[in-house]
Amino acid sequence: MSSTFDRFQENLSSIKSPFEIISLLIKKIEENNSKCHIILNKSIKPLHFINNYIKVKEIDYDLILKEKKIWSEKYFSNKFNLEPSKTKYKYTIVNYISVGNKFKGLIYISYNKKYSYEILLNQLNFEISNLIEKENLRKKINAKNNLLKNKTLEIESLFDITEMLNSDENLKPLFDKILYFLISLFNASKGIIFLRDANSKNFNVQSSFNYDLNKINSRIIRDTRGVHKELKESFKSRIINNPKKYPLLEEGKLNCISGPIISNKKLDGSIFLFDKESRKGLTTFNNYDLKLFDSIIKKISLTYNNLFLVHSLKDSKKMIDSIMSSISTGIIKINMLGEIEYINESASSIFKVDSKSIINNHYAILFHNNQEILDILERAENSSHIFYEENLKINTNENNIGAVNLTISPVFDDGINSGMVVTLEDLSNINKVKSTFKKYVSESIVDELLLNEDSLELGGVQKDVCVLFADIRGFTSMSENLEPEKVVSLLNNYFQKMINVVFKNNGTLDKIIGDELMVLYGVPISYENDNQNAVNTAIEMFKELKVFNEKIKDEGLPEISIGIGINFGKVISGNIGSDQQMNYTVIGDNVNIAARLCSVAKPGEIIISDSVYNKLNTSSGFNLNKPLNLKGKSKPIKNWLMKVS
Amino acid sequence: MSKVINTESKDGLIIIYTDGYLNKDLGEEIQKIAYEHIENGELNFLLDLKQSNIVNSIGASILIEIIEKLQDVNGNLYLCNLAPIIEKTFNIMGLTKYCKTFKSQSEAIEELS
């Protein structure tokens, strides 16, 4: 026997699978016409598949424990509903299987022939216990593994929510995502997010999932009562075990987990998740859920706060950008490193550059064609003073030439120099306007017009205007004896002198009609002394003419004689003409009177109407002239005459 | 509410279409339908989650139960049209190790039929 048993033991040690060992052990026991039953708890699954070798039945622990005695084979068969053995056995032996002090089953052997089963039985028990232990260990590892998976899911979810919260999204899609995320993470059945409306201060539903909003939508939700009042007072996430007591949370069946969205120490919203799911059905949220939920809610609050700051910053930036792009002054912000941080549309337009290509580049790139600006900037970098340069010529990126008034100011943040701001007043358009206007009006009028656009009235309006006509006497006969080039040259030189006088006295050159000048005072800008200016113009014209005549006399040219007529009164001023040609001028009876007075004035005479005379500060030199009967006038016109020597 | 919106047999596959939250309720509905088909000897399932954009771990664990059942009978569960958040949850839960996923139903049918 011992040698057979030894061989059997050798066989066993060569077999690695515990199942095969168990099977062999059972076979060995049953070799001696014995019967081996192994009764195990049905939950011990790994032994199920060797059903062919051993009996695995449901086990009643209590029964076994209570009746821990040696049963007869019949009693045993009845107890465990086994098919009664046809063989009558004389003896029975029971071996209890326990793992870690816990009873797991028993091995029951019925036999007739005495045999030493002890070693086999102990070996079988050891193998089965070992297997059960391994199975328990496997279950524990699986459970831990599942727990680990859930923890991984939670950690991944925290990463996800961080990413989600940092995304540049609008509130609605962001909070929809947040709610979906929370529902999924906490196995919740439903959920809802409220946010406070900035204007009404009431709370509105921002997002919901599986939630019947019919009752909620008609409610005014404030933090003065109900669940929001409690959240406002506690500022804490909490589990609400009887959600139905709050009208807003009536949808909850078991319990609800709630959290406040806090921004600037104020309750700005709330999040509620309802009825946690488990494999067995609905369950309640626990303290572990609350801890995780609270940490996420705090993150959401922080993000909500940041989101508001970002939105307000964006709004501010948008507003500043709008202001900056609407102003005509070019603005460039340069940082301490000399890099361009900001350039507005006007500055881009002045230098004809694309702002995007200039941002973050050194200013030397923008001003590479403008050494003078570079020099000033270098000086400004080493100074804390404001630099100003007027009418500075600049070269644009497209090699055009322009002019600007340049100001460079240092910028200080909390007393620390943070760079410079360059402002550029584009003079190109102003200069164009000036050069065009200067042909018609004096520079002082142009400047005033540019400074004060309201003073310019280009529509058809009735105004008090002083009109001066100056005509060359005997020009036709004079020009007949001269070559045409000389006539033109003579006239141009004469007009140049006369117009200078006009502008000097704030007159506006209305037009040159042949050899006649028509000058206005009081349009487009009226001054208090328009009449005096007109008379002064007339007197100075004669003075200039005297000098002019002396000059041309030396050149062998004939002297020029002029007569001047001036009238003051209401005229209609405006842009008069057709679509093709339109001129700003004045029309009316008083214009005609001025022309008539001029036509009757003899060479060296200034004739002014009574209306002009009455407005003069200095009227010396004028004598009352005999009334003149002018064409188109029923009554003679009172007038005053000055004879200029 | 989440539900199975359609089940059809196509190219040797039982295609189950879902709508909404893949939670315990929807998971169990899918499981019931799948088990009925398994009883009838149909062993290859394609779960089209195009209209489901949210899942929880209970829903995922029920799908694992279905996969276990199918493994016992040499059957397969395939998934298609997974929203990113669902795919991520399935990956973490280890579900995608045992069942192949496809971007679209047509891609699944082309490869499996």
Side-chain angles (χ1 to χ4, degrees):
Chain A
M1 173 69 202
S2 65
S3 62
T4 319
F5 193 78
D6 287 346
R7 279 201 299 281
F8 173 73
Q9 287 297 326
E10 278 171 24
N11 281 343
L12 279 187
S13 60
S14 66
I15 298 165
K16 285 181 183 167
S17 159
F19 302 110
E20 288 180 60
I21 293 171
I22 291 166
S23 303
L24 275 175
L25 282 167
I26 293 166
K27 271 186 181 175
K28 185 72 186 168
I29 290 167
E30 292 188 340
E31 264 177 13
N32 294 308
N33 201 23
S34 305
K35 194 68 198 167
C36 178
H37 289 294
I38 299 168
I39 310 298
L40 291 172
N41 187 314
K42 69 169 183 182
S43 66
I44 302 169
K45 284 182 179 173
L47 295 179
H48 283 190
F49 85 102
I50 49 170
N51 251 356
N52 292 340
Y53 303 100
I54 60 170
K55 304 293 179 191
V56 180
K57 291 282 178 181
E58 271 193 64
I59 191 163
D60 185 340
Y61 290 112
D62 291 339
L63 183 78
I64 301 291
L65 289 170
K66 272 181 201 165
E67 302 180 27
K68 210 169 183 180
K69 59 181 185 182
I70 305 294
W71 298 308
S72 69
E73 199 274 338
K74 189 181 173 186
Y75 180 82
F76 180 82
S77 300
N78 286 338
K79 189 67 80 185
F80 294 106
N81 199 23
L82 299 172
E83 191 183 331
S85 177
K86 287 172 186 170
T87 313
K88 293 284 180 189
Y89 295 103
K90 287 181 188 173
Y91 313 105
T92 54
I93 181 168
V94 176
N95 191 304
Y96 293 96
I97 302 165
S98 59
V99 175
N101 293 329
K102 282 188 179 170
F103 180 72
K104 295 291 177 185
L106 53 85
I107 305 168
Y108 187 93
I109 300 173
S110 314
Y111 59 99
N112 283 318
K113 195 177 169 184
K114 284 203 174 179
Y115 182 75
S116 176
Y117 289 104
E118 295 299 326
I119 297 171
L120 288 172
L121 203 53
N122 285 340
Q123 209 164 353
L124 187 60
N125 194 330
F126 172 78
E127 292 295 339
I128 293 171
S129 303
N130 221 359
L131 207 61
I132 293 168
E133 205 160 8
K134 277 184 185 168
E135 170 62 8
N136 283 348
L137 213 59
R138 194 187 67 82
K139 275 186 181 171
K140 278 182 186 167
I141 289 169
N142 274 353
K144 290 280 179 197
N145 204 15
N146 284 335
L147 196 67
L148 210 62
K149 279 178 185 170
N150 284 332
K151 292 281 175 200
T152 312
L153 206 60
E154 283 170 13
I155 292 166
E156 283 288 330
S157 303
L158 282 173
F159 287 139
D160 281 353
I161 199 157
T162 306
E163 204 173 306
M164 198 187 296
L165 293 175
N166 288 333
S167 66
D168 185 21
E169 283 203 67
N170 290 325
L171 283 183
K172 174 71 182 153
L174 176 66
F175 275 96
D176 282 349
K177 274 189 186 175
I178 287 172
L179 186 60
Y180 274 34
F181 162 83
L182 291 172
I183 293 271
S184 177
L185 178 62
F186 289 95
N187 289 334
S189 305
K190 51 189 77 173
I192 190 161
I193 297 179
F194 295 94
L195 282 186
R196 188 198 287 273
D197 179 72
N199 299 319
S200 68
K201 308 294 179 196
N202 294 340
F203 289 87
N204 295 328
V205 176
Q206 180 69 34
S207 291
S208 68
F209 184 80
N210 270 353
Y211 209 85
D212 183 2
L213 298 175
N214 284 333
K215 287 181 188 170
I216 290 181
N217 282 340
S218 58
R219 297 187 72 89
I220 294 172
I221 307 165
R222 301 178 72 83
D223 59 11
T224 50
R225 60 181 181 162
V227 70
H228 283 94
K229 185 185 179 198
E230 289 177 15
L231 281 172
K232 189 181 90 174
E233 285 167 357
S234 69
F235 272 179
K236 277 184 184 168
S237 299
R238 71 182 181 109
I239 291 171
I240 298 170
N241 283 319
N242 47 350
K244 285 193 184 297
K245 87 170 191 186
Y246 301 98
L248 288 184
L249 312 180
E250 276 179 356
E251 282 276 296
K253 287 179 185 162
L254 283 180
N255 79 348
C256 140
I257 194 164
S258 66
I261 297 172
I262 302 159
S263 160
N264 290 327
K265 296 182 181 173
K266 282 193 299 186
L267 181 71
D268 266 352
S270 56
I271 301 182
F272 300 90
L273 302 179
F274 299 86
D275 301 334
K276 186 179 179 177
E277 287 190 345
S278 76
R279 188 65 186 90
K280 289 175 184 169
L282 292 184
T283 182
T284 52
F285 293 105
N286 55 34
N287 283 334
Y288 177 77
D289 295 325
L290 181 64
K291 206 173 157 189
L292 183 64
F293 181 79
D294 190 49
S295 69
I296 295 172
I297 287 288
K298 280 176 180 155
K299 231 173 170 28
I300 293 169
S301 287
L302 196 68
T303 304
Y304 185 65
N305 214 350
N306 289 344
L307 213 64
F308 256 112
L309 286 175
V310 168
H311 275 289
S312 57
L313 268 177
K314 275 184 180 171
D315 287 346
S316 301
K317 190 181 175 303
K318 212 171 165 183
M319 189 177 77
I320 290 168
D321 282 349
S322 304
I323 293 168
M324 289 299 189
S325 60
S326 67
I327 60 176
S328 58
T329 303
I331 294 172
I332 301 166
K333 165 75 171 66
I334 296 169
N335 68 16
M336 282 296 286
L337 299 170
E339 293 165 345
I340 293 171
E341 282 183 339
Y342 179 82
I343 177 166
N344 74 347
E345 279 179 30
S346 298
S348 302
S349 165
I350 290 169
F351 287 96
K352 313 279 186 239
V353 289
D354 175 20
S355 60
K356 283 179 190 165
S357 66
I358 287 299
I359 294 285
N360 295 329
N361 281 308
H362 194 272
Y363 64 72
I365 292 175
L366 175 62
F367 300 124
H368 69 283
N369 280 336
N370 292 281
Q371 190 55 47
E372 208 170 338
I373 296 180
L374 287 174
D375 292 342
I376 300 168
L377 279 166
E378 273 177 34
R379 286 208 306 277
E381 274 181 322
N382 300 315
S383 164
S384 57
H385 295 111
I386 296 171
F387 286 76
Y388 181 72
E389 198 68 37
E390 202 174 27
N391 209 0
L392 182 72
K393 296 284 174 288
I394 58 158
N395 295 306
T396 71
N397 205 33
E398 293 171 359
N399 291 325
N400 297 323
I401 292 171
V404 293
N405 287 339
L406 173 82
T407 309
I408 299 172
S409 316
V411 177
F412 294 95
D413 282 343
D414 295 329
I416 298 166
N417 193 331
S418 67
M420 304 174 279
V421 167
V422 179
T423 53
L424 305 139
E425 189 190 350
D426 189 7
L427 302 177
S428 312
N429 290 335
I430 293 171
N431 287 349
K432 272 183 204 165
V433 170
K434 269 188 175 180
S435 63
T436 309
F437 266 52
K438 270 196 277 187
K439 290 174 187 167
Y440 303 101
V441 291
S442 71
E443 196 162 348
S444 62
I445 290 181
V446 175
D447 288 341
E448 183 158 348
L449 282 172
L450 290 170
L451 275 174
N452 184 14
E453 286 181 14
D454 292 344
S455 61
L456 185 67
E457 290 174 359
L458 294 174
V461 289
Q462 195 176 50
K463 291 189 76 170
D464 287 325
V465 173
C466 185
V467 185
L468 176 151
F469 281 89
D471 187 38
I472 299 176
R473 297 289 175 248
F475 180 75
T476 311
S477 57
M478 185 179 76
S479 60
E480 280 171 1
N481 302 320
L482 282 174
E483 294 166 15
E485 293 83 5
K486 282 193 176 173
V487 173
V488 172
S489 171
L490 184 66
L491 268 179
N492 283 347
N493 288 334
Y494 159 76
F495 283 134
Q496 189 62 56
K497 297 286 177 193
M498 297 302 111
I499 289 167
N500 284 345
V501 176
V502 168
F503 290 166
K504 188 183 162 192
N505 290 285
N506 285 334
T508 300
L509 178 65
D510 184 276
K511 56 177 79 78
I512 297 170
I513 312 149
D515 57 353
E516 189 179 58
L517 278 172
M518 177 179 166
V519 183
L520 308 173
Y521 297 83
V523 283
I525 297 171
S526 63
Y527 298 93
E528 278 184 19
N529 53 351
D530 283 331
N531 287 283
Q532 189 67 57
N533 282 340
V535 170
N536 291 348
T537 302
I539 295 167
E540 277 188 47
M541 276 181 164
F542 280 106
K543 284 183 186 170
E544 269 303 317
L545 186 63
K546 191 179 175 190
V547 178
F548 180 77
N549 277 338
E550 282 169 8
K551 194 181 169 194
I552 60 171
K553 193 176 167 186
D554 293 344
E555 294 170 13
L557 293 168
E559 286 184 24
I560 290 175
S561 303
I562 57 170
I564 296 173
I566 305 171
N567 183 33
F568 172 77
K570 292 205 181 297
V571 299
I572 293 167
S573 71
N575 286 299
I576 295 164
S578 69
D579 286 347
Q580 286 76 28
Q581 190 175 6
M582 191 171 279
N583 291 313
Y584 181 77
T585 187
V586 291
I587 52 169
D589 201 32
N590 284 310
V591 179
N592 299 334
I593 290 171
R596 300 276 187 275
L597 291 174
C598 178
S599 67
V600 296
K602 291 173 184 158
E605 283 184 358
I606 302 168
I607 300 177
I608 61 172
S609 62
D610 196 44
S611 57
V612 175
Y613 183 83
N614 289 333
K615 297 269 180 189
L616 293 179
N617 302 325
T618 311
S619 55
S620 63
F622 282 100
N623 296 309
L624 187 63
N625 198 15
K626 62 174 181 182
L628 292 168
N629 289 309
L630 299 178
K631 191 180 170 187
K633 287 283 160 194
S634 54
K635 289 181 183 174
I637 298 288
K638 187 180 178 184
N639 65 96
W640 300 77
L641 172 68
M642 177 188 276
K643 287 193 176 181
V644 185
S645 57
Chain B
M1 290 300 286
S2 52
K3 61 185 176 196
V4 170
I5 47 173
N6 191 22
T7 306
E8 64 172 343
S9 178
K10 198 173 179 183
D11 297 313
L13 287 167
I14 301 297
I15 304 173
I16 300 171
Y17 298 82
T18 66
D19 182 30
Y21 188 14
L22 178 45
N23 58 354
K24 179 178 174 286
D25 293 343
L26 180 54
E28 284 180 345
E29 196 181 343
I30 296 166
Q31 191 176 40
K32 187 168 173 274
I33 292 167
Y35 285 8
E36 281 169 9
H37 281 86
I38 292 168
E39 286 293 312
N40 294 331
E42 287 156 321
L43 303 177
N44 291 307
F45 294 84
L46 175 63
L47 187 60
D48 190 331
L49 295 168
K50 193 174 184 177
Q51 293 188 53
S52 288
N53 51 6
I54 174 169
V55 65
N56 66 14
S57 61
I58 310 300
S61 68
I62 294 172
L63 293 190
I64 290 173
E65 286 173 23
I66 299 172
I67 294 166
E68 276 180 338
K69 175 88 172 175
L70 283 166
Q71 282 177 344
D72 287 345
V73 292
N74 290 324
N76 293 294
L77 176 69
Y78 304 102
L79 307 167
C80 70
N81 287 318
L82 306 185
I85 190 168
I86 292 186
E87 190 166 15
K88 190 167 186 178
T89 304
F90 284 178
N91 283 337
I92 293 166
M93 296 293 288
L95 199 142
T96 45
K97 269 199 285 186
Y98 307 108
C99 61
K100 199 165 181 178
T101 60
F102 296 93
K103 280 183 184 168
S104 65
Q105 194 190 107
S106 56
E107 191 183 288
I109 289 170
E110 194 179 332
E111 192 172 323
L112 300 172
S113 58

